[in-house]
Amino acid sequence: MGRLFWKFFFFIMVAQLTTTFTVGFMFSLENRARNQRSNDLDLSPPAAFLIKSSVATLQYGGTDALRKLILSGERRRIYAVDENQHELLGRDVPQQLIKEARSVLNDHPDINVVGQVTASDGHTYLMFMSSPTGSGLGLLLHEDRPPRPFLPVMPMTISTIASFIFALLLAWYFSQPIRQLKSAFADAASGNLSSRLEPRMGKRNDELSDLGRDFDGMTDKLRAAMDSQRRLLHDVSHELRSPIARMQASIGLARLQPEKTAATIERIEREGVRMDRLVGELLTLSRLEAGVTGTMEEPIRMEELLDDIINDARFEAEANDRHVDGCARCNVIIKGGAELLHRAIENVVRNAIKQTATGTTIAINTQVDRDKQRLLISVIDHGPGVPEEEVQLIFEPFFRSSRTQKNSHGYGLGLTIARRIIEAHGGTIKAFNRLERGLCVDILLPYDALDVADEADQHPENHNILHPERQNA
């Protein structure tokens, strides 16, 4: 049993015992009040009348007549005690009540609620009535009387035992899942992220079981992050190994064939540029994942930014017998990093240029949703597309689709960097295959304001309906 168990047990037990003794004390007070009420004299006018009647009955009818009178109706509360403290009917009479009756007879003879008669049998009887509810004057007459001590010992003992068992079970119920959490955290700290808490919680449906599920979710994410890190290290080492091997081979060739030194140096220079580009992309990705994005408060006019990207894309595409069709009609302003956002969208467009078939056209569409203040940028190519099981993986580092990896000259980081940048601007990016050949990449960005009020009326094409492929995505 851990320390938390004993803390739970101690405080629950203290609460239960406090409740038990409080209830017992209240029972004691109630019993004391009940005893006080039963020991009070009846000082009411009806009591005085009944005592006078009883005195007359005893004087003229004797003890037998008084017995019959007492056994009838309310006269059962009349007591007749002789000088030897014997009650006429053999009932037990509290001594304090007898003392009070004598005190009233001697000190307050005008009240007439106590009578004293010498009967024909020679005994002198003190006659009085007990009050079932008590009276203020009666309490004043015996306020110095010590209370009768009483505690419900047996009920309190049973309650204490029940409280002990209940506190034990309740402390175990609360401390057991916490001990399991402690064990799971210890496993996670030692590197074992496969430990699952939800099956151990059983059928619990409370905050502790929610905490167990959250812990499982946390370990799943940690395991995925560690796996991703391992894959990233493996992929980086793999990508670096090839150019380093070629550089070493070139150096060896230069030593064996000095006449080819110029060509070898050119080869080494190309490999150095490739490695520099790879390291640069890795540094960019690392900064984005660490949240180091620089200032993100720069107002970006998206129409100007997209115009620059489209013009550059046209120049690059035409050099490779491909075409770009797009016209940025989106009068919105986005707060963020202009260079980062330019790079993200350009990476998507350049990837489409590489994948689209020769002689085909890449479409760049924009659409403004004023109700939700969002800008949609769609980049559509006519390439081989991506297998459905790989669509969600193309934004992962170093991933290359099985349909494109043979003719790809990049490192598989462009779309990953684009996703990180778009997410840093509060947007989303996703891809899906078109019904026809090709891939569509949608970039959804929240905007802060319109560049010019109601400029959309000048550009009705801003409100294009979704193309059929997106309706089925």
Side-chain angles (χ1 to χ4, degrees):
M1 299 298 180
R3 290 168 293 175
L4 189 62
F5 170 86
W6 290 114
K7 287 181 180 180
F8 272 124
F9 174 77
F10 174 76
F11 286 108
I12 294 171
M13 192 65 189
V14 167
Q16 294 291 331
L17 290 178
T18 302
T19 304
T20 299
F21 280 98
T22 301
V23 172
F25 182 68
M26 296 300 294
F27 270 113
S28 177
L29 292 180
E30 176 64 23
N31 183 71
R32 174 183 174 183
R34 190 182 301 113
N35 289 337
Q36 282 185 337
R37 290 195 296 269
S38 65
N39 292 339
D40 280 343
L41 288 174
D42 192 342
L43 305 177
S44 63
F49 173 77
L50 291 174
I51 291 298
K52 287 180 181 180
S53 300
S54 301
V55 168
T57 301
L58 182 59
Q59 284 178 338
Y60 300 105
T63 56
D64 291 337
L66 182 60
R67 285 192 184 93
K68 293 180 181 179
L69 181 66
I70 292 174
L71 291 174
S72 62
E74 291 189 9
R75 291 174 176 81
R76 290 178 180 274
R77 292 187 289 110
I78 297 176
Y79 294 100
V81 181
D82 62 15
E83 64 278 4
N84 297 321
Q85 307 297 323
H86 295 153
E87 204 273 329
L88 182 63
L89 299 181
R91 295 174 293 179
D92 291 331
V93 183
Q95 291 298 316
Q96 190 65 27
L97 191 58
I98 297 174
K99 291 179 181 180
E100 289 179 6
R102 294 189 186 281
S103 175
V104 170
L105 180 65
N106 296 328
D107 300 337
H108 303 279
D110 55 319
I111 298 181
N112 296 324
V113 294
V114 179
Q116 190 169 1
V117 181
T118 300
S120 57
D121 58 1
H123 292 287
T124 300
Y125 291 94
L126 182 69
M127 304 180 63
F128 53 88
M129 288 187 67
S130 65
S131 173
T133 59
S135 62
L137 181 57
L139 291 173
L140 288 174
L141 290 174
H142 58 75
E143 61 183 354
D144 296 331
R145 182 183 68 207
R148 292 177 59 188
F150 172 78
L151 279 175
V153 178
M154 184 58 68
M156 290 177 63
T157 302
I158 296 174
S159 299
T160 301
I161 296 174
S163 299
F164 179 85
I165 297 174
F166 177 76
L168 194 69
L169 293 176
L170 196 59
W172 177 83
Y173 179 78
F174 281 116
S175 62
Q176 183 193 24
I178 297 177
R179 288 197 304 273
Q180 292 173 343
L181 275 170
K182 178 184 176 184
S183 174
F185 274 109
D187 292 341
S190 64
N192 180 17
L193 297 178
S194 60
S195 179
R196 307 289 295 179
L197 271 177
E198 187 174 4
R200 302 188 202 173
M201 294 296 177
K203 297 182 179 180
R204 298 179 69 102
N205 188 19
D206 52 18
E207 286 78 4
L208 289 173
S209 62
D210 293 341
L211 184 60
R213 284 189 289 271
D214 292 341
F215 176 84
D216 291 343
M218 179 191 71
T219 54
D220 289 342
K221 291 181 179 179
L222 284 174
R223 187 165 57 251
M226 293 179 66
D227 292 342
S228 176
Q229 185 182 36
R230 293 192 191 98
R231 288 196 303 271
L232 181 62
L233 290 174
H234 175 269
D235 292 337
V236 169
S237 62
H238 176 75
E239 294 293 340
L240 288 174
R241 184 182 294 113
S242 296
I244 290 175
R246 287 192 291 268
M247 290 175 67
Q248 290 175 338
S250 299
I251 293 172
L253 183 62
R255 288 174 177 173
L256 294 176
Q257 300 177 357
E259 68 277 7
K260 295 184 179 180
T261 301
T264 303
I265 292 176
E266 183 179 351
R267 161 76 68 170
I268 294 174
E269 184 179 8
R270 283 200 307 269
E271 297 300 337
V273 171
R274 287 172 58 86
M275 292 176 61
D276 180 69
R277 186 167 63 248
L278 172 60
V279 172
E281 290 187 352
L282 287 172
L283 289 175
T284 300
L285 180 61
S286 176
R287 286 196 296 268
L288 290 172
E289 290 184 340
V292 183
T293 56
T295 177
M296 297 291 286
E297 296 297 326
E298 180 183 354
I300 306 169
R301 286 179 167 80
M302 292 303 297
E303 190 165 330
E304 297 178 3
L305 185 140
L306 289 173
D307 279 337
D308 290 342
I309 294 174
I310 291 172
N311 290 333
D312 292 343
R314 281 200 181 104
F315 180 78
E316 180 178 348
E318 288 174 0
N320 294 280
D321 194 19
R322 295 171 176 86
H323 308 283
V324 174
D325 182 17
C327 185
R329 298 294 177 88
C330 49
N331 56 322
V332 299
I333 296 177
I334 291 177
K335 283 187 178 181
E339 290 297 329
L340 288 175
L341 203 55
H342 185 283
R343 181 171 185 176
I345 300 174
E346 185 180 51
N347 282 355
V348 175
V349 173
R350 294 188 68 188
N351 185 74
I353 293 174
K354 291 178 183 178
Q355 302 303 328
T356 195
T358 304
T360 59
T361 300
I362 298 166
I364 302 175
N365 298 328
T366 59
Q367 183 178 351
V368 178
D369 186 343
R370 293 196 172 193
D371 294 333
K372 297 181 179 179
Q373 286 193 309
R374 297 186 303 183
L375 169 65
L376 175 64
I377 304 170
S378 300
V379 180
I380 306 170
D381 65 47
H382 293 80
V386 178
E388 289 299 327
E389 64 274 11
E390 298 179 356
V391 170
Q392 301 302 322
L393 301 176
I394 62 174
F395 298 103
E396 295 298 323
F398 296 105
F399 178 81
R400 291 172 182 165
S401 173
S402 57
R403 295 182 184 175
T404 61
Q405 57 185 354
K406 292 181 180 180
N407 56 4
S408 176
H409 303 288
Y411 297 102
L413 293 175
L415 292 181
T416 305
I417 292 174
R419 185 185 69 175
R420 296 289 192 273
I421 294 174
I422 296 301
E423 290 175 350
H425 286 78
T428 58
I429 182 171
K430 62 180 181 179
F432 53 88
N433 290 305
R434 302 173 63 234
L435 294 180
E436 300 175 359
R437 191 182 183 205
L439 188 73
C440 176
V441 178
D442 280 350
I443 300 172
L444 197 62
L445 290 166
Y447 67 83
D448 296 287
L450 294 174
D451 193 6
V452 180
D454 284 335
E455 190 176 340
D457 294 337
Q458 305 172 21
H459 306 300
E461 60 271 23
N462 285 353
H463 302 281
N464 295 337
I465 62 171
L466 298 178
H467 49 77
E469 292 83 358
R470 192 178 295 111
Q471 293 176 1
N472 296 326

